[in-house]
Amino acid sequence: MKILVTGGAGFIGSAVVRLAVTRGHEVVNLDALTYAANLENVAPVAGSPLYSFEQADIRDRAALDRIFAAHRPDVVMHLAAESHVDRSIDGPAAFIETNVIGTFNMLEAARQWWTAQGRPETFRFHHISTDEVFGSLGETGQFTEETPYDPRSPYSASKAGSDHLARAWHETYGLPVVLTNCSNNYGPYHFPEKLVPVVILKALAGQPIPVYGDGGNVRDWLYVEDHADALLLVVEQGQIGRSYNIGGENEAKNIDLVRTICAHMDDLHPQGAPHDRLISFVTDRPGHDRRYAIDPTRIREELGWRPSVTVEEGLRRTVEWYLDNRDWWQPLLSREGVGKRLGQG
């Protein structure tokens, strides 16, 4: 199977690329190499004859047409997106242009290619999205695939728009689309502006660890390599026109997650312990959703998938990875916006 992966130099996309190549699939990595992308993320497989790279922007329709014609993919896994909520608050335009217009371009390029090839039944367009499109939960309940959309940030609204486009292209044109909505990812190669790497790197530097509000916001945490495994399963076996929620079955309050990371830092890097003394509560993000939780029943019952990594185990692996890979993350600290408080409205 030849897979065109958009955003394959990003966090989740690179996990998909690494796993797909390891499993013997041909992979074309299409990435614009914006601030959060890093070709070092795919270095472990970059030398494989199964791997190729195309630097292109999904907003550039002509480039997409050229890439489809040149590589003739069997399936598309569309992960390219602007994804940082705080940045979406400060600069929403980039999120609309990439996540909405870019997805429109991808769908149209894929539709043209698929039609020109005689609409092969084996073709798939897998649109990868987030649980944030569903809004915020109260103390109980979980998001299912039938939960009404209720996005609260420019980021989640742009992803909701892209989800609607993917569904519409299936219903209107028959494009063989599958969708997935995932919970919060974490793990190796996570760009150092997101919560888990921020906590690790602040603790390592002995700097204040910022926690929004009272730290009571709840997320379901999904180890990125588990997510990549689920995504490949969906693109291979998922039912056309169907969506699948992918969760880690690991709900945790942000403050508890931070304290767990600090405990692992105490054990693996005792210098500076106890690291939880660095926790600093800061003004909350505008419109900060209180709780996300995914009901993964559909993917479990229909496709037999469950996460293999607990949040405790995954966080320890992640801390170990950052401690062992300073050469990867240190150059990223100088990229635009990293280490600064963004998204204050």
Side-chain angles (χ1 to χ4, degrees):
M1 182 167 66
K2 179 178 279 190
I3 308 171
L4 174 61
V5 178
T6 70
F11 173 46
I12 302 173
S14 66
V16 171
V17 169
R18 294 191 303 270
L19 184 60
V21 171
T22 300
R23 291 183 176 175
H25 298 298
E26 290 184 75
V27 174
V28 181
N29 177 4
L30 188 167
D31 201 294
L33 298 183
T34 56
Y35 81 95
N38 188 353
L39 286 176
E40 290 298 313
N41 296 2
V42 294
V45 298
S48 170
L50 298 173
Y51 173 83
S52 59
F53 174 68
E54 290 277 3
Q55 184 172 355
D57 194 315
I58 60 172
R59 297 174 297 180
D60 182 349
R61 174 61 194 279
L64 299 182
D65 290 340
R66 175 186 63 78
I67 290 166
F68 271 91
H71 293 282
R72 305 175 63 85
D74 300 308
V75 302
V76 175
M77 298 182 72
H78 177 42
L79 295 106
E82 294 286 348
S83 67
H84 190 38
V85 176
D86 288 356
R87 287 182 184 261
S88 82
I89 295 169
D90 291 343
F95 288 73
I96 303 304
E97 292 166 3
T98 297
N99 299 354
V100 179
I101 303 302
T103 297
F104 163 74
N105 283 335
M106 281 299 304
L107 288 163
E108 279 291 86
R111 181 169 72 94
Q112 178 176 306
W113 161 253
W114 176 64
T115 301
Q117 302 311 304
R119 300 164 68 100
E121 292 183 1
T122 54
F123 186 79
R124 298 287 184 273
F125 187 102
H126 182 181
H127 178 66
I128 289 93
S129 190
T130 172
D131 60 357
E132 297 188 41
V133 299
F134 299 123
S136 186
L137 289 166
E139 295 297 321
T140 61
Q142 293 180 308
F143 298 135
T144 73
E145 290 81 1
E146 310 306 322
T147 299
Y149 277 35
D150 186 21
R152 309 293 184 88
S153 70
Y155 162 61
S156 58
S158 69
K159 288 299 291 184
S162 69
D163 290 10
H164 292 324
L165 289 174
R167 285 192 174 89
W169 259 242
H170 169 65
E171 294 292 340
T172 301
Y173 303 111
L175 188 69
V177 169
V178 289
L179 296 95
T180 51
N181 297 82
C182 68
S183 58
N184 280 42
N185 281 227
Y186 70 101
Y189 301 99
H190 205 174
F191 191 73
E193 66 181 0
K194 300 294 183 77
L195 177 60
V196 171
V198 163
V199 174
I200 296 169
L201 299 184
K202 292 292 187 183
L204 187 59
Q207 298 174 351
I209 298 170
V211 175
Y212 287 165
D214 62 1
N217 301 78
V218 175
R219 300 292 182 263
D220 175 24
W221 293 93
L222 174 63
Y223 194 60
V224 69
E225 293 174 6
D226 271 346
H227 188 199
D229 177 61
L231 293 177
L232 285 172
L233 180 65
V234 169
V235 83
E236 291 169 348
Q237 299 183 26
Q239 182 179 327
I240 297 299
R242 204 125 165 96
S243 65
Y244 296 88
N245 283 355
I246 305 173
E249 300 181 37
N250 285 306
E251 275 190 67
K253 291 182 179 179
N254 284 351
I255 187 60
D256 294 335
L257 186 90
V258 171
R259 287 180 174 138
T260 299
I261 295 170
C262 288
H264 288 309
M265 285 293 296
D266 291 347
D267 185 32
L268 297 167
H269 189 270
Q271 183 180 352
H275 292 91
D276 62 3
R277 65 183 170 80
L278 299 169
I279 293 172
S280 174
F281 294 95
V282 300
T283 304
D284 206 354
R285 166 197 294 160
H288 195 180
D289 293 336
R290 189 64 176 176
R291 177 174 169 262
Y292 304 146
I294 273 187
D295 178 353
T297 300
R298 177 178 289 178
I299 192 171
R300 182 174 65 243
E301 293 186 349
E302 293 188 11
L303 303 182
W305 183 87
R306 294 196 78 153
S308 67
V309 180
T310 67
V311 70
E312 181 76 24
E313 178 186 357
L315 287 174
R316 188 172 184 87
R317 288 188 198 178
T318 304
V319 170
E320 289 175 333
W321 190 89
Y322 278 87
L323 292 176
D324 292 341
N325 288 275
R326 294 176 187 239
D327 289 346
W328 178 85
W329 56 259
Q330 281 181 328
L332 303 180
L333 300 182
S334 62
R335 293 197 180 181
E336 182 260 330
V338 177
K340 299 176 182 177
R341 175 71 196 272
L342 305 171
Q344 298 187 75

